[in-house]
Protein backbone atom coordinates (compact mmCIF):
# COMPACT_ATOMS: atom_id res chain seq x y z
CA UNK A 1 0.00 0.00 0.00
CA UNK A 2 2.98 2.30 0.08
CA UNK A 3 2.48 3.18 3.72
CA UNK A 4 6.19 3.78 4.22
CA UNK A 5 6.36 6.49 1.58
CA UNK A 6 7.08 10.03 2.72
CA UNK A 7 4.07 11.94 4.04
CA UNK A 8 4.00 15.72 3.55
CA UNK A 9 1.26 18.02 4.83
CA UNK A 10 0.81 21.50 3.35
CA UNK A 11 -1.20 23.62 5.76
CA UNK A 12 -1.45 26.86 7.71
CA UNK A 13 -1.15 27.12 11.47
CA UNK A 14 -4.63 28.61 12.02
CA UNK A 15 -6.54 26.52 9.47
CA UNK A 16 -9.31 24.56 11.18
CA UNK A 17 -9.23 22.16 8.24
CA UNK A 18 -5.48 21.64 8.34
CA UNK A 19 -5.55 21.12 12.11
CA UNK A 20 -8.03 18.27 11.58
CA UNK A 21 -5.47 16.46 9.46
CA UNK A 22 -2.67 17.01 11.97
CA UNK A 23 -4.78 15.57 14.79
CA UNK A 24 -5.69 12.53 12.66
CA UNK A 25 -2.05 11.88 11.78
CA UNK A 26 -1.07 12.18 15.43
CA UNK A 27 -3.89 9.84 16.50
CA UNK A 28 -2.70 7.27 14.00
CA UNK A 29 0.96 7.76 14.88
CA UNK A 30 1.90 8.49 11.27
CA UNK A 31 5.29 10.15 10.79
CA UNK A 32 4.93 13.18 8.55
CA UNK A 33 6.59 16.42 7.53
CA UNK A 34 4.67 19.64 8.04
CA UNK A 35 5.14 22.55 5.65
CA UNK A 36 3.69 25.92 6.65
CA UNK A 37 2.01 27.81 3.79
CA UNK A 38 1.61 31.55 3.41
CA UNK A 39 -2.06 31.92 2.44
CA UNK A 40 -1.33 35.20 0.67
CA UNK A 41 1.84 34.09 -1.15
CA UNK A 42 1.03 30.49 -1.96
CA UNK A 43 3.87 28.19 -2.87
CA UNK A 44 4.31 26.66 -6.30
CA UNK A 45 3.90 23.21 -4.73
CA UNK A 46 0.51 24.12 -3.22
CA UNK A 47 -0.76 25.64 -6.47
CA UNK A 48 0.35 22.59 -8.43
CA UNK A 49 -1.02 20.15 -5.84
CA UNK A 50 -4.42 21.84 -5.52
CA UNK A 51 -4.94 23.67 -8.84
CA UNK A 52 -8.74 23.77 -8.48
CA UNK A 53 -9.20 25.45 -5.08
CA UNK A 54 -5.59 26.52 -4.37
CA UNK A 55 -6.17 26.01 -0.63
CA UNK A 56 -4.77 24.07 2.29
CA UNK A 57 -4.71 21.39 3.52
CA UNK A 58 -3.06 19.10 0.98
CA UNK A 59 -1.61 15.72 1.92
CA UNK A 60 1.14 14.37 -0.32
CA UNK A 61 1.84 10.66 0.29
CA UNK A 62 4.62 9.55 -2.02
CA UNK A 63 3.25 10.24 -5.50
CA UNK A 64 -0.36 10.52 -4.29
CA UNK A 65 -2.04 13.87 -3.61
CA UNK A 66 -5.19 14.12 -1.46
CA UNK A 67 -7.15 17.36 -1.06
CA UNK A 68 -10.04 18.52 1.19
CA UNK A 69 -9.77 17.79 4.92
CA UNK A 70 -12.61 15.27 5.26
CA UNK A 71 -11.35 13.27 2.28
CA UNK A 72 -7.86 13.33 3.76
CA UNK A 73 -9.19 12.03 7.08
CA UNK A 74 -10.86 9.10 5.32
CA UNK A 75 -7.67 8.43 3.36
CA UNK A 76 -5.58 8.39 6.56
CA UNK A 77 -8.04 6.04 8.25
CA UNK A 78 -7.95 3.58 5.35
CA UNK A 79 -4.26 3.66 4.46
CA UNK A 80 -3.05 3.36 8.06
CA UNK A 81 -5.92 1.12 9.17
CA UNK A 82 -3.60 -0.96 11.37
CA UNK A 83 -2.18 2.07 13.18
CA UNK A 84 -4.02 3.59 16.12
CA UNK A 85 -7.81 3.57 16.53
CA UNK A 86 -10.23 3.63 13.62
CA UNK A 87 -11.48 7.16 12.98
CA UNK A 88 -14.69 6.12 11.21
CA UNK A 89 -17.23 3.59 12.54
CA UNK A 90 -17.23 0.17 10.87
CA UNK A 91 -21.03 0.06 10.64
CA UNK A 92 -22.08 1.45 7.22
CA UNK A 93 -25.02 3.46 8.58
CA UNK A 94 -23.02 5.02 11.42
CA UNK A 95 -20.22 5.76 8.94
CA UNK A 96 -22.66 7.53 6.61
CA UNK A 97 -24.09 9.52 9.52
CA UNK A 98 -20.61 10.54 10.66
CA UNK A 99 -19.66 11.73 7.19
CA UNK A 100 -22.95 13.64 6.91
CA UNK A 101 -22.42 15.55 10.15
CA UNK A 102 -18.75 16.21 9.41
CA UNK A 103 -19.79 17.71 6.08
CA UNK A 104 -22.49 19.74 7.85
CA UNK A 105 -19.91 21.17 10.26
CA UNK A 106 -17.63 22.12 7.37
CA UNK A 107 -20.40 23.86 5.47
CA UNK A 108 -22.43 25.36 8.27
CA UNK A 109 -21.75 28.90 7.02
CA UNK A 110 -24.39 29.75 4.43
CA UNK A 111 -24.51 32.96 2.43
CA UNK A 112 -27.71 34.04 0.68
CA UNK A 113 -26.84 36.56 -2.01
CA UNK A 114 -27.16 37.60 -5.65
CA UNK A 115 -24.35 37.44 -8.19
CA UNK A 116 -24.31 41.18 -8.94
CA UNK A 117 -25.04 42.54 -5.46
CA UNK A 118 -22.27 44.93 -4.39
CA UNK A 119 -23.30 44.21 -0.80
CA UNK A 120 -23.25 40.43 -1.14
CA UNK A 121 -19.93 40.50 -3.01
CA UNK A 122 -18.44 42.30 0.00
CA UNK A 123 -19.29 39.35 2.20
CA UNK A 124 -17.81 36.85 -0.25
CA UNK A 125 -14.52 38.76 -0.40
CA UNK A 126 -14.36 38.95 3.40
CA UNK A 127 -14.98 35.21 3.75
CA UNK A 128 -12.31 34.50 1.15
CA UNK A 129 -9.84 36.84 2.88
CA UNK A 130 -10.40 35.02 6.16
CA UNK A 131 -10.30 31.58 4.57
CA UNK A 132 -13.74 30.64 5.93
CA UNK A 133 -15.43 27.70 4.20
CA UNK A 134 -19.00 28.54 3.26
CA UNK A 135 -21.88 27.52 1.04
CA UNK A 136 -23.22 30.08 -1.42
CA UNK A 137 -26.91 30.14 -2.34
CA UNK A 138 -27.95 32.32 -5.27
CA UNK A 139 -31.18 34.26 -4.73
CA UNK A 140 -33.63 35.48 -7.36
CA UNK A 141 -34.22 39.12 -6.39
CA UNK A 142 -37.64 39.05 -8.02
CA UNK A 143 -38.75 35.66 -6.69
CA UNK A 144 -37.22 35.58 -3.22
CA UNK A 145 -36.90 32.26 -1.45
CA UNK A 146 -38.78 31.35 1.69
CA UNK A 147 -35.46 31.04 3.52
CA UNK A 148 -34.47 34.60 2.59
CA UNK A 149 -37.85 36.03 3.60
CA UNK A 150 -37.73 34.21 6.92
CA UNK A 151 -34.10 35.12 7.54
CA UNK A 152 -34.54 38.81 6.73
CA UNK A 153 -38.22 39.57 7.38
CA UNK A 154 -37.66 43.32 7.80
CA UNK A 155 -35.85 44.28 4.58
CA UNK A 156 -36.26 41.01 2.63
CA UNK A 157 -32.91 41.63 0.91
CA UNK A 158 -29.55 39.97 0.40
CA UNK A 159 -27.00 39.41 1.76
CA UNK A 160 -27.83 37.22 4.72
CA UNK A 161 -25.21 35.15 6.52
CA UNK A 162 -26.44 32.08 8.36
CA UNK A 163 -23.83 30.70 10.76
CA UNK A 164 -25.24 27.64 12.48
CA UNK A 165 -28.31 28.96 14.28
CA UNK A 166 -27.21 32.61 14.02
CA UNK A 167 -28.51 34.95 11.31
CA UNK A 168 -26.65 38.16 10.43
CA UNK A 169 -28.07 40.79 8.06
CA UNK A 170 -26.68 43.93 6.35
CA UNK A 171 -23.30 43.69 4.64
CA UNK A 172 -21.26 45.97 6.92
CA UNK A 173 -22.58 44.23 10.03
CA UNK A 174 -21.77 40.88 8.44
CA UNK A 175 -18.21 42.06 7.72
CA UNK A 176 -17.75 43.02 11.37
CA UNK A 177 -19.21 39.69 12.46
CA UNK A 178 -16.80 37.78 10.21
CA UNK A 179 -13.86 39.82 11.50
CA UNK A 180 -14.74 39.12 15.13
CA UNK A 181 -15.84 35.47 14.93
CA UNK A 182 -12.87 34.39 12.81
CA UNK A 183 -10.43 36.81 14.42
CA UNK A 184 -7.63 34.25 14.33
CA UNK A 185 -8.07 33.50 10.64
CA UNK A 186 -6.45 35.76 8.10
CA UNK A 187 -5.77 39.45 8.64
CA UNK A 188 -7.96 41.76 10.75
CA UNK A 189 -10.34 43.68 8.52
CA UNK A 190 -10.98 46.57 10.92
CA UNK A 191 -8.18 48.67 12.48
CA UNK A 192 -7.45 48.00 16.15
CA UNK A 193 -7.19 51.72 17.00
CA UNK A 194 -10.66 52.99 18.15
CA UNK A 195 -10.46 56.28 16.21
CA UNK A 196 -9.33 54.65 12.96
CA UNK A 197 -12.02 52.01 13.43
CA UNK A 198 -14.67 54.74 13.83
CA UNK A 199 -13.34 56.52 10.72
CA UNK A 200 -13.46 53.29 8.75
CA UNK A 201 -17.09 52.72 9.72
CA UNK A 202 -17.95 56.30 8.75
CA UNK A 203 -16.51 55.97 5.24
CA UNK A 204 -17.99 52.50 4.73
CA UNK A 205 -21.42 53.91 5.57
CA UNK A 206 -20.77 56.82 3.18
CA UNK A 207 -20.01 54.35 0.38
CA UNK A 208 -23.10 52.25 1.08
CA UNK A 209 -25.40 55.24 0.97
CA UNK A 210 -23.87 57.77 -1.40
CA UNK A 211 -22.14 55.64 -4.05
CA UNK A 212 -24.97 53.13 -4.26
CA UNK A 213 -27.74 55.75 -4.47
CA UNK A 214 -26.08 57.92 -7.11
CA UNK A 215 -25.11 54.85 -9.15
CA UNK A 216 -28.70 53.61 -9.09
CA UNK A 217 -29.93 57.02 -10.26
CA UNK A 218 -27.50 56.95 -13.19
CA UNK A 219 -28.95 53.61 -14.31
CA UNK A 220 -32.61 54.46 -13.91
CA UNK A 221 -33.02 58.21 -14.49
CA UNK A 222 -33.18 60.43 -17.57
CA UNK A 223 -32.45 64.00 -18.62
CA UNK A 224 -31.50 66.53 -15.94
CA UNK A 225 -31.89 63.97 -13.17
CA UNK A 226 -29.33 61.70 -14.84
CA UNK A 227 -26.87 64.59 -15.28
CA UNK A 228 -27.24 65.52 -11.63
CA UNK A 229 -26.70 61.88 -10.64
CA UNK A 230 -23.49 61.74 -12.71
CA UNK A 231 -22.13 64.88 -11.06
CA UNK A 232 -23.07 63.55 -7.63
CA UNK A 233 -21.47 60.17 -8.34
CA UNK A 234 -18.17 61.70 -9.49
CA UNK A 235 -18.15 64.15 -6.59
CA UNK A 236 -18.43 61.26 -4.14
CA UNK A 237 -15.69 59.28 -5.89
CA UNK A 238 -13.35 62.28 -5.76
CA UNK A 239 -14.00 62.60 -2.02
CA UNK A 240 -13.01 58.96 -1.61
CA UNK A 241 -9.96 59.43 -3.83
CA UNK A 242 -8.91 62.23 -1.51
CA UNK A 243 -9.36 59.95 1.50
CA UNK A 244 -7.19 57.31 -0.20
CA UNK A 245 -4.47 59.85 -0.91
CA UNK A 246 -1.11 58.26 -1.64
CA UNK A 247 -1.77 55.11 0.38
CA UNK A 248 -1.76 51.65 -1.18
CA UNK A 249 -5.06 50.84 0.50
CA UNK A 250 -7.51 52.85 2.57
CA UNK A 251 -6.05 51.34 5.73
CA UNK A 252 -2.49 52.07 4.63
CA UNK A 253 -0.35 49.14 3.49
CA UNK A 254 -2.93 46.46 4.24
CA UNK A 255 -6.15 45.56 2.42
CA UNK A 256 -9.08 45.81 4.81
CA UNK A 257 -12.65 46.68 5.69
CA UNK A 258 -13.00 49.90 3.71
CA UNK A 259 -11.33 48.44 0.63
CA UNK A 260 -13.82 45.57 0.70
CA UNK A 261 -16.71 48.02 1.14
CA UNK A 262 -15.77 49.95 -2.02
CA UNK A 263 -14.06 47.52 -4.40
CA UNK A 264 -17.27 45.65 -5.21
CA UNK A 265 -18.58 48.77 -6.97
CA UNK A 266 -15.69 48.52 -9.44
CA UNK A 267 -17.40 45.78 -11.45
CA UNK A 268 -20.31 48.21 -11.94
CA UNK A 269 -18.16 51.10 -13.24
CA UNK A 270 -18.51 50.01 -16.88
CA UNK A 271 -22.31 49.97 -16.42
CA UNK A 272 -22.36 53.45 -14.84
CA UNK A 273 -20.11 54.81 -17.59
CA UNK A 274 -22.18 53.23 -20.37
CA UNK A 275 -25.50 54.51 -19.02
CA UNK A 276 -24.05 57.89 -18.07
CA UNK A 277 -21.59 58.61 -20.85
CA UNK A 278 -18.54 59.54 -18.74
CA UNK A 279 -15.13 58.14 -17.72
CA UNK A 280 -14.14 57.39 -14.13
CA UNK A 281 -10.52 56.79 -15.22
CA UNK A 282 -10.31 60.31 -16.61
CA UNK A 283 -11.71 61.95 -13.49
CA UNK A 284 -10.24 59.68 -10.77
CA UNK A 285 -7.04 58.04 -12.06
CA UNK A 286 -5.63 57.32 -8.59
CA UNK A 287 -8.80 55.55 -7.56
CA UNK A 288 -8.68 53.37 -10.68
CA UNK A 289 -5.06 52.51 -9.90
CA UNK A 290 -6.28 51.35 -6.50
CA UNK A 291 -8.97 49.25 -8.25
CA UNK A 292 -6.34 47.48 -10.34
CA UNK A 293 -4.23 46.90 -7.25
CA UNK A 294 -7.18 45.31 -5.44
CA UNK A 295 -7.96 43.14 -8.47
CA UNK A 296 -4.55 41.51 -8.04
CA UNK A 297 -5.83 39.92 -4.83
CA UNK A 298 -7.18 36.42 -5.32
CA UNK A 299 -10.15 37.06 -3.03
CA UNK A 300 -11.27 39.97 -5.23
CA UNK A 301 -10.43 38.55 -8.65
CA UNK A 302 -12.23 35.24 -8.04
CA UNK A 303 -15.32 36.90 -6.54
CA UNK A 304 -16.21 39.85 -8.75
CA UNK A 305 -18.16 39.14 -11.95
CA UNK A 306 -16.85 40.70 -15.15
CA UNK A 307 -17.97 44.27 -16.02
CA UNK A 308 -19.68 42.93 -19.16
CA UNK A 309 -21.65 40.37 -17.14
CA UNK A 310 -22.75 43.09 -14.74
CA UNK A 311 -23.81 45.34 -17.61
CA UNK A 312 -25.91 42.55 -19.14
CA UNK A 313 -27.52 41.86 -15.76
CA UNK A 314 -28.19 45.58 -15.24
CA UNK A 315 -29.95 45.80 -18.60
CA UNK A 316 -32.16 42.82 -17.73
CA UNK A 317 -33.01 44.28 -14.32
CA UNK A 318 -33.80 47.67 -15.85
CA UNK A 319 -36.15 46.06 -18.33
CA UNK A 320 -37.77 43.94 -15.62
CA UNK A 321 -38.37 47.03 -13.48
CA UNK A 322 -39.91 48.89 -16.42
CA UNK A 323 -37.33 51.67 -16.72
CA UNK A 324 -37.02 51.29 -20.49
Amino acid sequence: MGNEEQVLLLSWRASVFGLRVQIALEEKGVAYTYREEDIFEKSKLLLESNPVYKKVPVLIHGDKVVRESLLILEYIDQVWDRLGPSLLPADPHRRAQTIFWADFISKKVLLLSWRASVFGLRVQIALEEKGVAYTYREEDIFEKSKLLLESNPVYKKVPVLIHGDKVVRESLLILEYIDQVWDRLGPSLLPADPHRRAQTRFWADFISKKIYDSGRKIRHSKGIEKEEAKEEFMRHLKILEGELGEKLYFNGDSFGFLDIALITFSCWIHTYETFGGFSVEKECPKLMTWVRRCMERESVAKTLPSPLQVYQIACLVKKKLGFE
Side-chain angles (χ1 to χ4, degrees), residues 275-291:
F275 282 125
F278 63 96
S279 169
V280 174
E281 180 80 53
K282 182 178 179 180
E283 298 290 333
C284 297
K286 289 184 179 179
L287 199 61
M288 291 306 295
T289 298
W290 165 83
V291 167

Side-chain angles (χ1 to χ4, degrees), residues 149-208:
L149 297 176
E150 290 177 347
S151 303
N152 194 357
V154 178
Y155 293 113
K156 302 178 176 64
K157 292 182 178 180
V158 296
V160 171
L161 187 78
I162 302 174
H163 181 206
D165 60 352
K166 303 177 184 71
V167 177
V168 193
R169 312 161 188 92
E170 298 296 296
S171 65
L172 297 182
L173 297 179
I174 296 174
L175 260 59
E176 288 201 53
Y177 179 84
I178 290 170
D179 201 32
Q180 292 175 15
V181 171
W182 292 283
D183 59 325
R184 296 186 181 183
L185 291 182
S188 295
L189 304 180
L190 276 164
D193 177 74
H195 180 256
R196 289 179 62 199
R197 185 179 286 248
Q199 290 292 95
T200 298
R201 287 194 181 108
F202 169 84
W203 286 113
D205 184 66
F206 174 88
I207 292 166
S208 295

Side-chain angles (χ1 to χ4, degrees), residues 313-324:
I313 291 171
C315 290
L316 290 173
V317 171
K318 188 174 183 179
K319 184 176 181 179
K320 187 92 172 179
L321 294 175
F323 284 102
E324 290 187 342

Side-chain angles (χ1 to χ4, degrees), residues 16-17 20 53 55 68-71 98-112 127 131-137 147 160-166 182:
V16 293
F17 307 107
R20 287 174 174 173
Y53 293 114
K55 290 182 178 181
E68 297 297 297
S69 64
L70 297 183
L71 298 179
T98 299
I99 294 171
F100 169 82
W101 286 114
D103 184 66
F104 173 82
I105 292 167
S106 297
K107 297 178 179 178
K108 66 178 180 179
V109 179
L110 173 65
L111 173 63
L112 309 182
L127 290 168
V132 177
Y134 69 99
T135 300
Y136 175 88
R137 174 164 163 174
L147 180 59
V160 171
L161 187 78
I162 302 174
H163 181 206
D165 60 352
K166 303 177 184 71
W182 292 283

Side-chain angles (χ1 to χ4, degrees), residues 1-10 25 30-33 45 49 58-67 72 75-81 83:
M1 292 177 65
N3 294 13
E4 302 304 318
E5 294 175 303
Q6 182 181 11
V7 178
L8 174 63
L9 173 62
L10 309 182
L25 290 168
V30 177
Y32 69 99
T33 301
L45 180 59
S49 303
V58 171
L59 188 78
I60 302 175
H61 179 208
D63 60 353
K64 304 176 185 69
V65 178
V66 192
R67 312 161 189 93
I72 296 173
Y75 179 84
I76 291 170
D77 200 34
Q78 292 173 13
V79 171
W80 291 282
D81 58 329
L83 291 182

Side-chain angles (χ1 to χ4, degrees), residues 124-287:
Q124 287 182 259
I125 292 173
L127 290 168
E128 293 291 339
E129 282 288 321
K130 287 288 191 176
V132 177
Y134 69 99
T135 300
Y136 175 88
R137 174 164 163 174
E138 177 78 7
E139 287 287 334
D140 183 332
I141 58 172
F142 297 106
E143 294 291 336
K144 298 172 182 177
S145 72
K146 181 180 178 182
L147 180 59
L148 174 60
L149 297 176
E150 290 177 347
S151 303
N152 194 357
V154 178
Y155 293 113
K156 302 178 176 64
K157 292 182 178 180
V158 296
V160 171
L161 187 78
I162 302 174
H163 181 206
D165 60 352
K166 303 177 184 71
V167 177
V168 193
R169 312 161 188 92
E170 298 296 296
S171 65
L172 297 182
L173 297 179
I174 296 174
L175 260 59
E176 288 201 53
Y177 179 84
I178 290 170
D179 201 32
Q180 292 175 15
V181 171
W182 292 283
D183 59 325
R184 296 186 181 183
L185 291 182
S188 295
L189 304 180
L190 276 164
D193 177 74
H195 180 256
R196 289 179 62 199
R197 185 179 286 248
Q199 290 292 95
T200 298
R201 287 194 181 108
F202 169 84
W203 286 113
D205 184 66
F206 174 88
I207 292 166
S208 295
K209 293 175 180 176
K210 300 297 184 180
I211 301 300
Y212 178 77
D213 285 348
S214 53
R216 181 176 51 80
K217 290 175 186 175
I218 290 172
R219 302 197 318 269
H220 297 157
S221 61
K222 297 179 180 179
I224 295 176
E225 187 178 351
K226 182 185 288 287
E227 292 303 312
E228 290 175 346
K230 287 161 51 178
E231 292 178 7
E232 183 182 81
F233 182 77
M234 290 311 307
R235 184 168 64 253
H236 294 151
L237 286 187
K238 288 177 181 178
I239 290 172
L240 289 167
E241 188 176 57
E243 176 63 19
L244 176 65
E246 301 301 322
K247 301 189 295 290
L248 291 177
Y249 300 104
F250 281 93
N251 193 37
D253 293 334
S254 59
F255 180 83
F257 193 94
L258 192 51
D259 301 288
I260 295 173
L262 181 58
I263 192 57
T264 56
F265 285 88
S266 66
C267 61
W268 278 85
I269 287 177
H270 172 70
T271 298
Y272 300 144
E273 291 177 329
T274 303
F275 282 125
F278 63 96
S279 169
V280 174
E281 180 80 53
K282 182 178 179 180
E283 298 290 333
C284 297
K286 289 184 179 179
L287 199 61

